């Protein structure tokens, strides 16, 4: 059925500029965008109008890197760098998710807060625990959101409470692959080796076989922190770079891979990531919290890498993607004070918005824009009065910088209004 959504429409078909239609209509048929028009002609006289005049209508946000079980530790431990932070906080937190009651409580909160923030699609790490990971997948299916979720694989260099045998890790992963295919149509399974130091060569090889056999996507961490990069070099002296370790084991399928951080890539790695059409999840808030570094987003874009945004909760401290859009711009400005980067133009608002909508959305299909043929994933935003006669683009800027996700009033996924998840049970 055809419907028309009326409001101030703004989106980014390209990273260069916004497409804006003040007081326009998005025509949506069976969940898919048909057209964006300034007025409804005679042929549309009978079409039902969902009138959101005065509000912004923007594409939903997509978070390409987030850790669901780390939600309890959000905001903790940022005097540490990555490896001590993992030991002191993250592994302690994640071990608690062996308890199904903990998973039930915290995964519900996590999903409600993502909904609140307007994050409609996301790629999440769970923990290594099969039962609680499955529960997250079921709850996500019930929520109306459309994520990819992975059971984390880790069979080396972790505390006893958070380590599994290679065989068990592979068997549990395959169980969840089947279960998701049968029972959670809106929640896909993504193969999730934690990072190279956590996974033995045997495990990576087995996971690579599952990726090839079931044609699955992969997510992991890459070149986040200099101590981590040195550790990978020690663990795999025969493979020239960190990125090539994933590639070597079949964990970089073309167009189906998300790698978080990618701060310290060398030339060979950049070429490999471009060739494999890897989605780089840029997590600027996390990278500053853990003093990992500043990813050179401008350079990556100029060399044709696909850069999307990730909250990386809980190394990032909030889910709200408006914070991450702003932080990615701020980080790109800070980078200009570092020798060698003075001449690089910082990210522009449209570029950062594109990363959080269309670039991230492309990992999920035709998602993240209002071009014809895209899934209608949309947010209705009431960002305040217009004393200053602001343009639609300026109102979007004010929303992203000053109001944030709290100004979101409605969320639509694939054309359907998504109510607050689990509301009847709270
Ligand atoms: N590297 C390995 N595990 C993690 C994690 O949980 N968070 C971040 N930011 N980096 C990692
Ligand atoms: Fe992460």
């Amino acid at each position: 059925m055809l419907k028309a959504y009326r409001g101030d429409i703004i989106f980014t078909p390209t990273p260069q500029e916004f497409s804006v239609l003040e007081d326009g209509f998005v025509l949506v048929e069976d969940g898919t965008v048909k057209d964006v028009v300034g007025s409804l002609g005679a042929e549309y006289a009978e079409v039902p109008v969902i009138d959101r005049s005065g509000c912004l209508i923007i594409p939903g946000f997509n978070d390409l890197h987030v850790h669901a079980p780390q939600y309890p530790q959000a905001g903790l431990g940022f005097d540490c760098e990555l490896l001590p932070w993992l030991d002191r906080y993250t592994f302690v937190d994640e071990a608690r998710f062996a308890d199904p009651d903990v998973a039930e409580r915290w995964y519900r909160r996590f999903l409600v807060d993502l909904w609140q923030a307007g994050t409609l699609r996301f790629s999440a790490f769970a923990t290594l625990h099969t039962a609680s990971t499955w529960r997250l997948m079921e709850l996500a299916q019930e929520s109306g959101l459309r994520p990819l979720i992975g059971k984390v694989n880790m069979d080396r260099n972790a505390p006893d409470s958070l380590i599994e045998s290679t065989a068990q890790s592979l068997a549990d992963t395959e169980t969840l692959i089947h279960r998701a295919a049968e029972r959670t149509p809106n929640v896909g399974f993504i193969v999730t080796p934690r990072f190279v130091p956590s996974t033995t060569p045997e495990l990576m090889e087995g996971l690579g076989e599952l990726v090839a056999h079931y044609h699955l996507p992969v997510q992991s961490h890459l070149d986040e922190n200099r101590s981590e990069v040195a550790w990978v070099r020690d663990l795999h002296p025969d493979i020239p770079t960190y990125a090539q370790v994933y590639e070597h084991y079949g964990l970089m399928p073309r167009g189906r891979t998300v790698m978080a951080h990618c701060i310290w890539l060398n030339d060979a790695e950049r070429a490999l990531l471009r060739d494999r059409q890897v989605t780089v999840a840029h997590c600027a808030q996390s990278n500053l919290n853990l003093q990992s570094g500043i990813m050179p987003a401008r350079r990556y874009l100029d060399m044709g890498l696909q850069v999307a945004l990730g909250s990386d909760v809980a190394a990032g401290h909030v889910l709200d993607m408006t914070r991450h859009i702003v932080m990615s711009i701020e980080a790109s400005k800070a980078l200009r004070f570092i020798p060698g980067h003075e001449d690089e133009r910082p990210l522009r608002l449209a570029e950062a918005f594109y990363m959080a909508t269309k670039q991230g959305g492309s990992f999920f299909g035709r998602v993240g824009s209002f071009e014809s043929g895209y899934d209608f994933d949309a947010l209705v935003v009431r960002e305040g009065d217009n004393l200053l006669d602001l343009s639609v683009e300026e109102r979007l800027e004010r929303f992203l910088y000053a109001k944030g996700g709290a100004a979101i009033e409605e969320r639509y996924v694939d054309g359907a209004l998504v109510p607050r998840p689990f509301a009847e049970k709270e």
Side-chain angles (χ1 to χ4, degrees):
M1 191 176 99
L2 190 62
K3 292 181 194 165
Y5 293 84
R6 177 176 187 174
D8 298 320
I9 298 154
I10 180 163
F11 60 107
T12 40
T14 72
Q16 280 76 41
E17 59 182 0
F18 289 105
S19 241
V20 180
L21 211 64
E22 187 161 6
D23 195 19
F25 300 83
V26 190
L27 286 163
V28 177
E29 187 156 40
D30 300 327
T32 303
V33 176
K34 211 169 146 35
D35 205 355
V36 177
V37 295
S39 60
L40 292 179
E43 74 269 37
Y44 297 128
E46 304 294 315
V47 171
V49 175
I50 294 99
D51 192 349
R52 298 295 178 263
S53 298
C55 292
L56 301 174
I57 302 180
I58 66 173
F61 293 131
N62 304 304
D63 184 344
L64 271 279
H65 184 72
V66 61
H67 298 261
Q70 294 177 19
Y71 207 33
Q73 68 174 101
L76 296 173
F78 299 141
D79 288 340
C80 299
E81 288 195 25
L82 173 66
L83 299 175
W85 174 82
L86 286 173
D87 284 337
R88 285 186 213 155
Y89 291 90
T90 306
F91 292 157
V92 177
D93 173 318
E94 289 191 16
R96 298 288 177 93
F97 282 72
D99 178 346
D101 293 336
V102 170
E104 184 76 27
R105 195 162 73 244
W106 280 93
Y107 284 157
R108 281 173 185 262
R109 262 183 222 172
F110 174 73
L111 290 163
V112 170
D113 290 356
L114 280 167
W115 171 88
Q116 182 80 47
T119 299
L120 306 181
R121 317 243 181 179
F122 54 94
S123 191
F125 287 52
T127 58
L128 50 63
H129 310 103
T130 308
S132 61
T133 301
W134 175 244
R135 189 63 189 136
L136 174 61
M137 298 185 83
E138 285 184 319
L139 288 168
Q141 174 67 34
E142 195 181 326
S143 74
L145 305 174
R146 299 270 178 110
L148 292 162
I149 292 174
K151 170 203 143 34
V152 169
N153 304 99
M154 40 201 301
D155 69 342
R156 66 174 170 181
N157 296 316
D160 291 345
S161 57
L162 216 57
I163 206 149
E164 54 191 350
S165 74
T166 310
Q168 193 70 48
S169 186
L170 291 169
D172 289 350
T173 301
E174 198 160 13
T175 299
L176 289 176
I177 291 168
H178 285 287
R179 233 185 259 173
E182 287 157 16
R183 298 196 229 157
T184 56
N186 295 335
V187 180
F189 189 86
I190 182 163
V191 172
T192 308
R194 173 169 220 117
F195 65 160
V196 167
S198 296
T199 44
T200 59
E202 297 70 34
L203 180 53
M204 288 192 273
E205 192 168 318
L207 292 173
E209 284 164 13
L210 293 177
V211 168
H213 183 75
Y214 295 103
H215 198 74
L216 292 169
V218 174
Q219 61 181 350
S220 196
H221 298 92
L222 174 62
D223 285 328
E224 175 176 5
N225 167 288
R226 283 187 278 200
S227 306
E228 168 215 17
V229 175
W231 193 12
V232 172
R233 202 179 308 123
D234 289 346
L235 289 167
H236 295 273
D238 299 335
I239 300 180
T241 66
Y242 190 166
Q244 282 163 287
V245 180
Y246 291 121
E247 186 213 14
H248 178 83
Y249 291 107
L251 293 171
M252 210 177 263
R254 183 172 279 106
R256 290 185 279 127
T257 303
V258 187
M259 285 290 158
H261 310 300
C262 301
I263 299 169
W264 304 105
L265 300 177
N266 65 22
D267 288 347
E269 291 179 300
R270 285 194 279 256
L272 176 61
L273 265 57
R274 188 170 50 191
D275 172 63
R276 292 304 171 98
Q277 295 159 27
V278 169
T279 297
V280 172
H282 177 30
C283 308
Q285 189 180 72
S286 157
N287 297 157
L288 289 166
N289 281 339
L290 295 180
Q291 298 178 70
S292 302
I294 299 180
M295 196 201 82
R298 166 64 49 216
R299 286 193 185 170
Y300 290 0
L301 293 177
D302 288 348
M303 62 182 59
L305 290 179
Q306 301 175 357
V307 183
L309 296 185
S311 67
D312 196 22
V313 157
H317 47 276
V318 292
L319 293 170
D320 185 344
M321 290 305 286
T322 68
R323 300 303 88 217
H324 301 290
I325 290 171
V326 169
M327 193 75 244
S328 69
I329 297 170
E330 291 173 338
S332 74
K333 290 176 178 170
L335 190 63
R336 298 187 74 196
F337 296 98
I338 295 175
H341 294 272
E342 296 91 340
D343 297 334
E344 283 166 34
R345 189 163 54 75
L347 292 180
R348 299 175 63 236
L349 188 70
E351 290 174 311
F353 188 77
Y354 178 94
M355 289 179 185
T357 54
K358 189 171 171 181
Q359 183 64 66
S362 71
F363 203 71
F364 299 87
R366 289 172 74 78
V367 171
S369 180
F370 295 147
E371 291 154 84
S372 170
Y374 273 69
D375 293 355
F376 184 64
D377 274 30
L379 305 175
V380 174
V381 178
R382 191 179 296 281
E383 55 71 56
D385 71 30
N386 200 358
L387 174 71
L388 301 178
D389 292 326
L390 303 179
S391 67
V392 173
E393 190 173 325
E394 287 168 328
R395 284 164 53 211
L396 178 73
E397 183 170 18
R398 184 169 69 169
F399 157 61
L400 294 172
Y401 271 86
K403 306 277 166 146
I408 297 169
E409 282 202 341
E410 282 180 335
R411 301 126 188 98
Y412 293 84
V413 174
D414 200 14
L417 179 69
V418 183
R420 183 186 170 88
F422 322 123
E424 76 286 1
K425 294 183 197 116
E426 281 176 9

